[in-house]
């Protein structure tokens, strides 16, 4: 059996030699595309294909179980992330990049005693001192549940640590051994910590423990945490948590094991009435540099927070260009996402011209969802009514109309 995708060089091969043999193959390299199958040989064979859509949304599982994970501290990086810091909420004027020599010096300087003390005294649970160097990071884990769930008793919080981090086991020992016994047991493996709770409160209750950064890293991506009933693990809540604010954090937009890297700089919203925006600049962006794979005009109908992203559901008004999203058409609903750290935002009820690259993940309906990054062109459509009738705005509106009409008909051949 040979599995291929039209237009791509990847090939997966599966061989069956014995009568009655069953073979299961995971075609991860071909996921998200039309797959063609070619069979050679003699005999009868049955092929069964299971296709699963993974989505980013986790809120539905957290309606009756609640979990929050927060990290405080100062991340050490191996190098600066090169991007436009002015496009980020986390970076004010005082947090913009400094000279390279000064940055290197700051990274090499250890935290002062005051800074260490401050990091430790923010803890809700005082777990005492340690002979080891103080933990520079504080994990706060909060849980609660709806009393109608009738939990079996024991519950587990499974936390994937941020890359390059390790947990302070002395803190966990004290949480377990103190008279109040905030946790009944814990387990640690490489990059993970499991907290066991004999009882889960109805009202939110929190525990805190320290963690150390053992390896300086270049990019910090969000990690997941899951809270579930020990005896009924299907009853669970999964959330994602991020590095402390004011860190050069980089995110991934994921559907199951398929992730779209979100490390590019933020998009910059264009203004229709800006002298630097014209029909030519739109064509150059779409066709020459950086080039795009889709172009839509849309109206935003809903704005929501999901994990580390702000997501926009929008109705497609017109399809100027489409690539791998075969089902997109006027009236279709599509989802666009941006990192919470990016300053730009789309507003419900507003209409936009959006151009960019196809998404690699899907929404709850199985449709592509699109990441807004530095390759994306985002521009609120001008008011083609009274404002465009004014002489001072007429030229800008005419150029937008000309671009929309020509790009939809001729694409990059205009």
């Amino acid at each position: 059996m040979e599995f291929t995708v039209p237009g791509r060089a990847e090939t997966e091969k599966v061989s069956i030699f014995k009568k009655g043999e069953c073979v299961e193959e995971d075609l991860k390299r071909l996921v998200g595309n039309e797959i063609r199958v070619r069979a050679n040989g003699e005999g009868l064979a049955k092929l069964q294909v299971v296709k699963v859509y993974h989505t980013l949304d986790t809120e539905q599982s957290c309606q009756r179980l609640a979990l929050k994970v927060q990290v405080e501290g100062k991340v050490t990086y191996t190098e600066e992330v090169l991007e436009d810091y002015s496009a980020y909420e986390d970076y004010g004027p005082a947090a913009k990049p400094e000279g390279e020599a000064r940055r290197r010096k700051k990274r090499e300087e250890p935290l002062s005693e005051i800074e260490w003390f401050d990091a430790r005294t923010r803890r809700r649970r005082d777990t005492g001192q340690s002979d080891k160097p103080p933990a520079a990071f504080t994990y706060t884990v909060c849980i609660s549940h709806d009393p109608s769930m009738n939990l079996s008793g024991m519950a587990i919080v499974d936390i994937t640590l941020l890359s390059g981090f390790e947990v302070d086991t002395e803190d966990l020992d004290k949480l377990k051994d103190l008279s109040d016994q905030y946790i009944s047991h814990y387990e640690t493996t490489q990059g993970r910590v499991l907290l066991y709770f004999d009882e889960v409160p109805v009202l939110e209750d929190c525990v805190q423990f320290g963690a150390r950064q053992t390896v300086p890293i270049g990019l910090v991506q969000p990690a997941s945490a899951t809270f579930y009933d020990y005896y009924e693990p299907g009853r669970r809540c999964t959330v994602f948590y991020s590095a402390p604010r004011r860190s050069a954090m980089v995110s991934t937009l994921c559907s199951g094991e398929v992730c779209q890297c979100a490390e590019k700089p933020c998009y910059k919203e264009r203004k229709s009435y800006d002298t630097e925006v014209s029909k030519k600049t739109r064509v150059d962006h779409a066709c020459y540099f950086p080039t795009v794979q889709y172009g839509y005009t849309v109206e935003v109908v809903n704005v929501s927070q999901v994990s580390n992203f702000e997501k926009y559901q929008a109705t497609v008004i017109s399809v100027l260009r489409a690539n791998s999203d075969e089902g997109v058409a006027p009236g279709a609903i599509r989802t666009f996402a941006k990192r919470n750290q990016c300053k730009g935002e789309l507003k419900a009820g507003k209409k936009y011209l959006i151009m960019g690259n196809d998404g690699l993940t899907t929404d709850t309906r199985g449709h592509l969802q699109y990441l807004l990054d530095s390759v994306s062109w985002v521009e609120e459509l001008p008011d083609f009514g009274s404002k465009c009738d004014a002489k001072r705005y007429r030229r800008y509106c005419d150029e937008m109309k000309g671009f929309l009409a020509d790009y939809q008909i001729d694409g990059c051949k205009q």
Side-chain angles (χ1 to χ4, degrees):
M1 308 284 292
E2 186 176 85
F3 300 86
T4 59
V5 169
R8 291 175 57 181
E10 289 93 340
T11 301
E12 294 278 2
K13 293 183 179 180
V14 177
S15 299
I16 303 175
F17 299 103
K18 299 178 182 179
K19 183 178 180 179
E21 180 181 6
C22 292
V23 176
E24 182 176 322
E25 188 72 19
D26 193 346
L27 306 177
K28 289 183 179 179
R29 291 200 303 162
L30 309 182
V31 72
N33 297 278
E34 174 188 340
I35 299 176
R36 292 183 180 176
V37 185
R38 181 180 180 182
N40 292 297
E42 296 181 357
L44 294 175
K46 182 171 72 172
L47 173 67
Q48 180 178 359
V49 178
V50 179
K51 187 172 183 179
V52 180
Y53 289 95
H54 297 283
T55 67
L56 175 70
D57 299 306
T58 58
E59 276 68 12
Q60 295 302 316
S61 65
C62 297
Q63 292 179 343
R64 299 169 70 189
L65 285 175
L67 170 64
K68 295 179 183 177
V69 179
Q70 185 177 357
V71 185
E72 291 181 283
K74 296 182 179 180
V75 179
T76 302
Y77 296 96
T78 55
E79 58 181 314
E80 297 297 326
V81 178
L82 301 177
E83 52 192 352
D84 182 4
Y85 283 72
S86 65
Y88 286 79
E89 293 288 1
D90 286 355
Y91 289 85
K96 290 184 179 180
E98 309 163 84
E100 180 56 34
R102 188 177 175 186
R103 284 198 300 263
R104 187 181 300 110
K105 181 179 179 182
K106 288 189 69 174
R107 287 198 301 268
E108 293 172 353
E109 289 178 354
L111 293 178
S112 68
E113 291 184 7
I114 294 296
E115 289 173 315
W116 282 120
F117 178 79
D118 179 62
R120 297 291 284 180
T121 53
R122 285 185 297 221
R123 303 264 311 276
R124 180 183 165 195
R125 313 285 197 202
D126 182 10
T127 56
Q129 300 298 321
S130 168
D131 294 333
K132 294 182 179 181
F137 294 86
T138 301
Y139 268 76
T140 302
V141 180
C142 301
I143 58 173
S144 63
H145 82 287
D146 187 325
S148 65
M149 286 199 69
N150 296 320
L151 289 180
S152 60
M154 182 175 289
I156 296 177
V157 175
D158 183 350
I159 304 170
T160 300
L161 299 176
L162 296 170
S163 298
F165 282 58
E166 71 172 18
V167 69
D168 187 341
T169 56
E170 290 188 3
D171 280 1
L172 296 177
D173 286 333
K174 289 183 173 61
L175 288 175
K176 179 174 68 72
D177 297 336
L178 289 174
S179 58
D180 289 346
Q181 199 177 37
Y182 300 118
I183 61 175
S184 60
H185 180 61
Y186 73 86
E187 296 177 12
T188 60
T189 58
Q190 187 172 6
R192 289 174 61 194
V193 58
L194 278 71
L195 305 178
Y196 290 74
F197 296 84
D198 280 339
E199 295 181 0
V200 180
V202 173
L203 299 177
E204 183 178 85
D205 195 16
C206 304
V207 296
Q208 292 185 322
F209 56 86
R212 299 178 181 83
Q213 183 179 4
T214 58
V215 180
I217 49 182
L219 303 174
V220 182
Q221 300 190 6
S224 64
T226 301
F227 171 34
Y228 59 91
D229 188 323
Y230 179 79
Y231 295 102
E232 296 185 55
R235 306 167 75 177
R236 61 179 52 215
C237 169
T238 299
V239 299
F240 292 86
Y241 70 96
S242 301
R245 289 179 65 84
R246 294 197 179 278
S247 64
M249 179 180 62
V250 173
S251 303
T252 54
L253 186 63
C254 296
S255 295
E257 294 184 358
V258 179
C259 290
Q260 179 173 3
C261 188
E263 67 180 47
K264 289 183 179 178
C266 298
Y267 73 90
K268 177 182 179 181
E269 185 174 346
R270 316 290 175 145
K271 304 296 183 181
S272 297
Y273 307 114
D274 190 333
T275 55
E276 295 182 359
V277 176
S278 64
K279 179 181 178 180
K280 181 180 183 305
T281 57
R282 297 184 185 102
V283 171
D284 288 345
H285 186 98
C287 302
Y288 301 108
F289 185 80
T291 72
V292 299
Q293 295 173 325
Y294 73 87
Y296 310 137
T297 58
V298 304
E299 180 176 358
V300 177
V301 295
N302 184 54
V303 181
S304 61
Q305 295 287 333
V306 179
S307 179
N308 195 45
F309 296 88
E310 189 165 72
K311 295 179 70 176
Y312 309 99
Q313 282 190 322
T315 302
V316 176
I317 301 172
S318 63
V319 179
L320 309 176
R321 180 180 182 181
N323 187 34
S324 59
D325 195 341
E326 298 176 355
V328 68
I333 300 294
R334 288 297 181 265
T335 301
F336 301 84
K338 79 164 183 72
R339 281 181 284 167
N340 286 331
Q341 289 71 32
C342 296
K343 283 185 177 179
E345 62 177 351
L346 308 187
K347 297 180 180 179
K350 297 292 186 179
K351 298 177 181 179
Y352 296 88
L353 164 64
I354 302 180
M355 301 184 290
N357 286 338
D358 288 332
L360 302 178
T361 60
T362 57
D363 60 18
T364 53
R365 298 178 178 86
H367 299 140
L368 289 185
Q369 61 182 357
Y370 299 90
L371 177 67
L372 300 178
D373 56 23
S374 60
V375 176
S376 306
W377 180 286
V378 179
E379 178 182 358
E380 184 179 342
L381 291 174
D383 179 2
F384 290 120
S386 57
K387 191 167 184 177
C388 283
D389 291 335
K391 186 175 181 179
R392 63 180 297 188
Y393 299 120
R394 194 174 304 157
R395 176 174 67 86
Y396 302 107
C397 297
D398 289 344
E399 292 219 353
M400 171 62 86
K401 290 179 181 178
F403 170 77
L404 295 178
D406 293 346
Y407 189 57
Q408 186 172 27
I409 296 172
D410 299 324
C412 290
K413 297 178 182 178
Q414 55 182 298

